[in-house]
Structure formats: structure tokens, C-alpha cells
């Protein structure tokens, strides 16, 4: 571990690696990437559950500067995304700056030395600039179900899949019906004895338009990269139109709602079950899911959907509010993450000695999702209010990375040792965001989603076109910040 680096990046997922590649390309080689896992990849390293696939099309889900010509499917599968990120590390020569199995345990701003003091599982170091890139969906959440501690069977979260454990012939409980659960169920249902899916809120599900990419198309992309670029641009453009429905007028999502209802009607014949599977909130309020095999899976003879609330675990049985006890061998938690309470925020201490979590008090806030008042020389990737319901987060990350590069240049230009966003600039940005979010389907659609934080405020979603975000961060305005020279 070096004693001091110019820039310390935390996390080796899309954000951290993209940042490292751009620093390397700009000749800023004095950086380190700290990664707590044993490999790069971030969410695509952690999530290895069967069926794990991204719901953003392959041609859009890559760095713009590193296209991949040989995706096997129109929607990328987890092993290929992970391989892609590993290839990027090699291709851009940043591997020697990545420290694996190295978890950041605390980072505190040292006002006197004007640098960050980092403690890691691998020793301490200091850095002039800190770039946390922890990902939004990295901290698994297990619901606090009474009796769970004494469950004698196997249990694991979807993001910590137990590959040693064979589910064949077992009675399996799958908790949750989000983006993860609907991918897992079709893969495990054929081999288990019984699959009980515990649904709290039914999701809106559209048919999945996935298909294999032909060898001819792959050859075409390789020979004529511009064709893939055109496809990427077309996918990007089409997806941006969805913002109209999410942000401007949720009524514009009616067509999607109809398609989802037709699929449900066509695939689920039992009217009572269909009723249970019909969402009672506007489409788009929660993430819209893609699957053509979810309904056939949960209506298979060895599967059931349980909608009664889970009350407790008793021995090897899950007991629901109606008093039914279902004996199970394994419980799989597809119960999501804690995006509005990121653990890293409890590990970052700002200029006043308080943690970012204390500053946020349950409602994450930043300026352009990147800089946080009270935390000098810190730029966060995939920070508050940058999540999308319609397009690729890689686009947002690249926009942010460009902004951070501009910030570093501005610091160099005026020999600044300390840069901190002005609190009133950050407040104005967040007031504007909240005003815009107030009319979106996420806030008005009548659902309770993980976009809303403990205070009921949306601190997750980006309420605009993604190109507007890129335009907004294409320049670093020093007027938004307090820049203090080294002297
Ligand atoms: P999620 O969307 O937060 O879904 C969690 C599920 O668990 C929900 O159905 C939730 O019900 C349920 N749940 C939570 N606590 C429960 C409890 N105590 N009892 C019963 N059910 C409970 O998590 P996720 O499915 O892992 O997905 C998270 C995000 O990751 C997605 O929204 C997406 O952004 C991303 N993701 C993307 C893909 C993809 O690209 N295809 C795949 C996986 C994940 P409620 O709805 O009632 O809260």
C-alpha cells in the first residue's frame, strides 16, 4: 500500500474502473483503486445468481470508449459483463493500481494537512482527492423476520448466492418479487420440489424482448463498428422517450400498462391469482420489469405465490399472517439493497468530524450527484439522485467522470489544495430536483419503492433526460465551489 496517493478511488465497478481509465488516459497515474472484493466488477461480481442479466440492452451497456462487439444476447448476461470489465482493466493497463481484498473502513478529512486519511483492511494511506464509487445496490438487506436466526436450513441473499448449495429436490422459499426474483425463479423452479414465492407487492412486468445475437451481426459489428454505434444511438434515443412518461406525464405510460396487462391475462388463467398479481399503482412507480417466463414459472404445478404477510420463522417453517406454516429447506432473499442508507456514508468523515451519514440524516444529498458540502476534495460517483428507470447508468457515470476530470483540471489551474462545493449551491440544486420530482410517477404513482428514503424524500432518481445531466456537468464552474490555494 502506498503511503500517499494523489487520488484514491473506492470501488472497482463500472464507476471506479471508468474513473481509473480516464485518469490513466490523462497521464494522472498517481492513483489507487481500493476494492473490498477479491475481483473487479462491483455489482457484476457480487451478483452471480442464476439468470442474472442486465435489463439495459447490450449495445448501450458498455463504456462509449470501449465497445464490445461480441455480446451473445441483446441484453447482456452477468458473466459477460464481468468479463467485459476484466478485459477493460487489461486493455487500459490499470491492473497494477487496483488493490483487491482491501476494504475502506474509514476516511477522514485532515484539515491541517488538507488531505484524506484512509484506513483500510490492508493498512492506512493518505490521498489528496477521494473518489468513492461504491455503487447504489451493493449492500444486501435481509428483512428482520422473527425466528430467522434459528432457521435450521440454508439461507442466503441473492447478491451472496451460495453456489455450494444444491437446490435440487428442495422446498424453497423465494422472498421478493423485484428485478432479481423474477430472474431467479424461472431458473430454479424446474429443479426444486416446491417453490413458494412470497410476494409483498406485485410488479408491473413487460414481455422480455431478449434474443441471441447472430454470428453475422457480431461479424458486422467487428468489421463496421459504426453500425453498432448507430444501434447504440437508436437504443439510447428510444429509451430517452420514456422520460416523458416517467417525469412529465405518467398517462403516457398507458400503452406499457396495457401490454403488461395483456401478458398477465394471457399467461395467468386463474382470475383470483391474476387479481393478486395485478399491481395497484401506476406503472413506472417502481422499476418496470422485463420477463416472459415469470408468470409461467409461478403458475407451474410445483410453484405457488404467497401473498399473506410473513409473520415469523418457526423451526424450518415460514408462518404467515393467516396462520399457515410452510416447511422449507432453503430461504432465498431477493429482498433488495439499502441505496438510501449506504454504509460507506458512515465511514466518511468530513471537515467538521461528522460522518456523511450524519450530515444526510436519512436523506442523501449532493451537488450534481457528485460533490457534498462539508467534504472537501471528494467526488462521489453514482451519488444521490442519479439513478435511472429507463437507460444505462454507464452513460451517467461517464458524464460524472468527465466532470471530475474537469474539477481536477480546475484545481491544477489555480493550484488549489482544497475544493468544496458551496452549501447554498448544493441546496439550490436539491430544491430544484425535489420540485421536479414532485410530479414524477415515482412520487405520485401510489407505490412505496426503494427510491424513497427514510424521510419519504426521493433521493435516488434523476428526473430528467440523461443528456440534460451530461450537458449540466459538461463544464466545471469554479464559481460553485470554494477553491483554496495551497499557500
Ligand atoms: P428490489 O427491487 O428492492 O425488490 C425487493 C423485493 O423484496 C420486493 O419485491 C420487496 O417487496 C420484497 N421484500 C422486501 N422486504 C420484504 C419482506 N420483509 N417480505 C416480503 N418481501 C419483501 O430488489 P431487487 O429485485 O434485488 O432489485 C433491486 C434493483 O437492482 C432493481 O430495481 C434494479 O435497479 C437492479 N436490478 C436490475 C436487474 C436487471 O438489470 N435486470 C436485475 C436485478 C436487479 P416490495 O415491493 O413490497 O417492497
Amino acid at each position: 500500500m502506498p503511503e500517499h496517493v494523489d487520488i484514491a478511488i473506492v470501488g472497482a465497478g463500472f464507476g471506479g474502473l471508468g474513473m481509473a481509465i480516464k485518469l490513466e488516459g490523462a497521464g494522472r497515474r498517481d492513483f489507487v483503486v481500493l476494492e473490498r472484493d477479491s475481483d473487479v466488477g462491483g455489482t457484476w461480481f457480487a451478483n452471480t445468481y442464476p439468470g442474472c442479466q442486465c435489463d439495459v440492452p447490450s449495445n448501450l451497456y458498455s463504456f462509449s470508449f470501449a465497445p464490445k462487439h461480441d455480446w451473445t444476447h441483446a441484453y447482456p448476461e452477468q458473466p459477460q459483463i464481468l468479463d467485459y470489465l476484466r478485459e477493460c482493466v487489461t486493455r487500459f493497463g490499470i491492473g497494477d493500481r487496483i488493490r483487491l481484498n482491501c476494504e475502506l473502513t474509514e476516511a477522514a478529512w485532515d484539515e491541517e494537512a488538507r488531505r484524506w486519511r484512509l484506513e483500510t483492511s490492508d493498512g492506512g494511506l493518505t490521498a489528496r482527492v477521494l473518489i468513492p464509487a461504491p455503487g447504489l445496490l451493493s449492500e444486501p438487506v435481509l428483512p428482520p423476520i422473527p425466528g430467522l436466526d434459528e432457521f435450521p436450513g440454508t439461507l442466503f441473499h441473492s447478491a451472496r448466492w451460495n453456489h455450494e448449495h444444491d437446490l435440487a429436490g428442495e422446498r424453497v422459499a423465494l422472498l421478493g418479487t423485484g428485478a432479481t426474483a423474477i430472474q431467479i425463479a424461472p431458473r430454479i423452479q424446474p429443479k426444486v420440489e416446491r417453490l413458494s414465492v412470497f410476494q409483498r407487492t406485485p410488479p408491473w412486468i413487460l414481455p422480455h424482448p431478449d434474443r441471441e445475437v447472430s454470428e453475422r451481426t457480431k461479424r458486422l459489428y467487428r468489421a463496421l463498428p459504426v453500425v453498432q454505434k448507430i444501434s447504440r444511438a437508436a437504443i439510447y434515443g428510444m429509451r430517452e422517450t420514456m422520460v416523458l412518461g416517467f417525469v412529465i406525464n405518467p398517462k403516457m405510460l398507458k400503452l406499457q400498462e396495457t401490454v403488461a396487462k395483456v401478458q398477465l391475462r394471457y399467461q395467468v388463467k386463474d382470475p383470483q391469482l391474476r387479481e393478486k398479481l395485478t399491481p395497484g399503482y401506476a406503472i413506472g412507480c417502481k422499476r418496470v420489469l422485463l420477463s416472459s417466463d415469470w408468470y409461467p414459472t409461478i403458475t407451474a404445478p410445483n410453484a405457488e405465490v404467497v401473498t399473506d404477510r410473513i409473520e415469523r420463522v418457526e423451526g424450518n417453517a415460514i408462518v404467515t399472517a393467516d396462520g399457515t406454516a410452510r416447511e422449507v429447506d432453503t430461504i432465498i432473499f431477493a429482498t433488495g439493497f439499502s441505496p438510501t442508507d449506504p454504509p460507506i456514508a458512515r465511514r466518511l468523515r468530513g471537515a467538521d468530524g461528522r460522518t456523511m451519514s450524519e450530515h444526510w440524516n436519512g436523506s442523501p444529498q449532493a451537488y450534481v450527484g457528485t460533490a457534498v458540502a462539508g467534504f472537501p476534495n471528494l467526488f462521489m460517483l453514482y451519488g444521490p439522485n442519479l439513478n435511472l428507470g429507463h437507460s444505462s447508468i454507464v452513460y451517467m457515470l461517464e458524464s460524472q467522470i468527465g466532470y471530475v476530470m474537469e474539477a481536477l483540471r480546475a484545481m491544477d489551474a489555480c493550484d488549489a489544495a482544497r475544493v468544496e462545493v458551496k452549501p447554498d449551491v448544493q441546496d439550490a440544486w436539491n430544491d430544484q430536483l425535489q420540485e421536479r420530482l414532485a410530479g414524477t410517477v415515482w412520487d405520485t404513482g401510489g407505490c412505496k419503492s426503494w427510491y424513497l428514503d427514510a424521510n419519504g424524500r426521493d433521493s435516488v432518481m434523476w428526473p430528467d433526460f440523461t443528456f440534460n445531466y451530461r450537458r449540466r456537468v459538461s463544464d466545471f464552474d469554479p464559481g460553485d465551489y470554494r477553491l483554496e490555494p495551497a499557500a
Side-chain angles (χ1 to χ4, degrees):
M1 181 70 81
E3 269 181 29
H4 177 77
V5 288
D6 190 41
I7 298 167
I9 300 168
V10 184
F14 259 106
L17 294 181
M19 189 73 239
I21 291 167
K22 284 294 164 190
L23 289 172
E24 177 76 16
R28 291 182 181 269
R29 303 214 162 85
D30 186 9
F31 68 84
V32 68
V33 182
L34 311 175
E35 170 53 57
R36 66 178 172 180
D37 280 323
S38 59
D39 201 348
V40 300
T43 196
W44 299 109
F45 175 77
N47 286 279
T48 58
Y49 60 79
C52 185
Q53 187 180 24
C54 182
D55 57 9
V56 173
S58 308
N59 280 349
L60 189 57
Y61 202 72
S62 60
F63 292 122
S64 59
F65 52 82
K68 176 175 168 63
H69 307 304
D70 56 356
W71 295 110
T72 56
H73 288 78
Y75 288 78
E77 296 180 339
Q78 174 267 336
Q80 276 197 323
I81 304 173
L82 182 57
D83 279 351
Y84 168 76
L85 287 171
R86 286 176 178 147
E87 280 160 26
C88 284
V89 170
T90 313
R91 179 168 158 191
F92 294 98
I94 53 168
D96 58 338
R97 254 66 50 75
I98 300 174
R99 299 198 68 94
L100 300 172
N101 300 308
C102 180
E103 179 163 0
L104 179 83
T105 49
E106 183 169 278
W109 173 251
D110 181 338
E111 193 63 77
E112 209 173 310
R114 293 187 166 183
R115 53 180 57 174
W116 283 93
R117 293 197 178 280
L118 279 64
E119 292 301 329
T120 80
S121 55
D122 215 8
L125 76 158
T126 58
R128 181 175 71 109
V129 173
L130 180 62
I131 305 183
L136 194 68
L137 305 162
S138 54
E139 221 46 46
V141 170
L142 294 192
I145 301 173
L148 201 57
D149 290 348
E150 278 102 64
F151 179 64
T154 307
L155 56 85
F156 50 89
H157 189 275
S158 54
R160 303 282 182 271
W161 194 268
N162 183 348
H163 289 279
E164 310 292 303
H165 184 72
D166 187 4
L167 296 170
E170 287 202 334
R171 297 160 301 175
V172 176
L174 177 63
L175 269 61
T177 52
T180 301
I182 65 150
Q183 294 183 334
I184 293 174
R187 296 299 183 97
I188 63 170
Q189 172 267 323
K191 61 176 166 182
V192 303
E193 182 192 309
R194 181 160 52 81
L195 175 67
S196 304
V197 173
F198 289 80
Q199 170 187 282
R200 197 163 63 177
T201 315
W204 283 107
I205 304 180
L206 293 172
H208 203 317
D210 195 21
R211 57 181 166 74
E212 271 191 42
V213 178
S214 69
E215 288 305 317
R216 225 176 65 182
T217 306
K218 286 184 215 165
R219 277 200 303 274
L220 181 66
Y221 287 163
R222 198 167 297 118
L224 275 175
V226 69
V227 176
Q228 194 178 21
K229 274 194 186 152
I230 292 168
S231 157
R232 182 181 171 102
I235 295 167
Y236 172 79
M238 259 156 39
R239 291 196 153 238
E240 284 304 292
T241 62
M242 290 165 71
V243 174
L244 298 171
F246 287 145
V247 175
I248 295 167
N249 185 357
K251 287 203 182 95
M252 293 169 96
L253 299 169
K254 271 284 167 222
L255 176 64
Q256 292 197 22
E257 191 176 306
T258 307
V259 174
K261 278 184 176 161
V262 169
Q263 166 161 271
L264 174 61
R265 195 173 178 83
Y266 182 70
Q267 293 187 332
V268 181
K269 303 292 177 210
D270 173 359
Q272 267 179 342
L273 179 59
R274 209 160 54 219
E275 179 73 32
K276 286 183 183 176
L277 297 173
T278 305
Y281 55 88
I283 192 166
C285 186
K286 282 168 177 277
R287 193 175 177 89
V288 182
L289 310 185
L290 297 179
S291 176
S292 303
D293 48 11
W294 167 249
Y295 296 130
T297 298
I298 56 177
T299 49
N302 67 337
E304 62 171 339
V305 180
V306 183
T307 53
D308 294 297
R309 190 174 49 80
I310 297 174
E311 208 155 66
R312 62 185 185 280
V313 168
E314 210 171 270
N316 66 345
I318 296 182
V319 183
T320 43
D322 63 341
T324 310
R326 281 178 182 78
E327 292 198 348
V328 294
D329 303 302
T330 295
I331 306 177
I332 300 170
F333 291 89
T335 42
F337 303 86
S338 60
T340 54
D341 180 25
I344 195 162
R346 291 193 278 279
R347 298 177 183 188
L348 304 175
R349 268 180 204 286
D352 64 0
R354 289 190 306 145
T355 65
M356 196 175 274
S357 182
E358 286 165 334
H359 273 252
W360 282 347
N361 197 19
S363 285
Q365 303 193 33
Y367 175 56
V368 293
T370 312
V372 182
F375 292 77
N377 296 15
L378 175 142
F379 302 101
M380 180 172 268
L381 299 182
Y382 205 172
N385 290 105
L386 292 188
N387 191 54
L388 307 173
H390 69 288
S391 192
S392 170
I393 191 61
V394 185
Y395 180 92
M396 298 298 267
L397 287 169
E398 279 194 50
S399 311
Q400 267 195 300
I401 290 166
Y403 182 73
V404 178
M405 294 302 292
E406 287 295 316
L408 295 174
R409 263 179 232 125
M411 286 176 82
D412 289 352
C414 54
D415 194 22
R418 188 187 195 282
V419 59
E420 182 187 346
V421 66
K422 293 174 181 165
D424 56 324
V425 170
Q426 179 174 310
D427 288 347
W429 169 262
N430 282 287
D431 289 349
Q432 259 178 31
L433 272 182
Q434 290 307 316
E435 212 171 285
R436 205 170 163 80
L437 280 161
T440 64
V441 70
W442 309 306
D443 287 25
T444 62
C447 73
K448 192 169 171 292
S449 75
W450 56 261
Y451 305 155
L452 306 180
D453 61 33
N455 305 316
R457 176 183 172 280
D458 187 338
S459 43
V460 169
M461 298 307 281
W462 169 245
D464 205 336
F465 298 105
T466 59
F467 52 79
N468 278 341
Y469 179 72
R470 179 158 292 187
R471 203 171 48 197
R472 187 67 173 73
V473 296
S474 60
D475 277 328
F476 177 84
D477 181 354
D480 293 338
Y481 289 79
R482 280 208 314 258
L483 284 146
E484 292 175 18

